[in-house]
Amino acid sequence: MDTFTVVHVVLSLIGILSGLVVLCGLLTANRMNGWTMLFLITTVATSVTGFGFPFQGVTPAIILGILSLIVLLAAIVARYAFHLAGSWRWIFVVGSVVALYFNVFVLVVQAFLKIPALHALAPKGSEPPFAMAQGIVLVLFILAGTLSVRRFHSVTN
């Protein structure tokens, strides 16, 4: 793996891990200021560095990167410009959860591409094991996002 790819992967993993911590904070009404900043910075960096890989034309990865940057922009504006006031609270929560979901979605894709046992189950990425894994991830994030919107009201911490 070249240095650029390693940096991109490390940023992605830090973004996912810190995002999971932030998600726990959303579920427990804890702002987790430092973790949130780390999550947002590394997740933006992940999306931006994703555009540095060679590509020809618009691909699903490019579209996902653009969508990720849009929801991240909304989350950042909601958190730091509007300080979670009014509807900006749920915009921050939804944007954060969706951005984390996008990263986990890509993690599952990469796992099925790079881990031999998973790749054997879904070599084309369209087989039932892959679809089931992505379906489970989607359902978990919808549940976590819904609960987070309901629970994240605190302005402490």
Side-chain angles (χ1 to χ4, degrees), residues 72-149:
L72 284 163
L73 177 61
I76 290 166
V77 168
R79 179 75 161 81
Y80 298 106
F82 293 102
H83 308 285
L84 306 173
S87 61
W88 290 103
R89 179 195 55 83
W90 72 261
I91 292 169
F92 166 73
V93 171
V94 171
S96 296
V97 173
V98 169
L100 178 58
Y101 166 71
F102 286 162
N103 272 355
V104 173
F105 177 90
V106 172
L107 177 66
V108 172
V109 169
Q110 291 301 314
F112 273 89
L113 286 173
K114 308 282 194 238
I115 298 172
L118 292 177
H119 187 72
L121 293 173
K124 295 179 184 177
S126 58
E127 294 81 1
F130 176 79
M132 286 176 24
Q134 290 292 19
I136 290 167
V137 168
L138 177 61
V139 167
L140 290 173
F141 271 91
I142 289 171
L143 179 61
T146 301
L147 290 173
S148 294
V149 167

Side-chain angles (χ1 to χ4, degrees), residues 2-97:
D2 66 11
T3 303
F4 183 79
T5 302
V6 170
V7 168
H8 176 75
V9 169
V10 168
L11 287 169
S12 299
L13 293 174
I14 293 170
I16 290 169
L17 293 174
S18 61
L20 291 172
V21 172
V22 169
L23 181 58
C24 288
L26 295 174
L27 290 167
T28 59
N30 185 340
R31 287 176 64 162
M32 300 201 163
N33 295 327
W35 284 103
T36 298
M37 185 172 287
L38 177 65
F39 164 66
L40 293 170
I41 289 170
T42 56
T43 304
V44 166
T46 296
S47 294
V48 170
T49 58
F51 293 110
F53 292 100
F55 65 93
Q56 296 175 2
V58 178
T59 64
I62 297 296
I63 293 168
L64 191 65
I66 292 168
L67 291 174
S68 180
L69 288 172
I70 291 169
V71 297
L72 284 163
L73 177 61
I76 290 166
V77 168
R79 179 75 161 81
Y80 298 106
F82 293 102
H83 308 285
L84 306 173
S87 61
W88 290 103
R89 179 195 55 83
W90 72 261
I91 292 169
F92 166 73
V93 171
V94 171
S96 296
V97 173

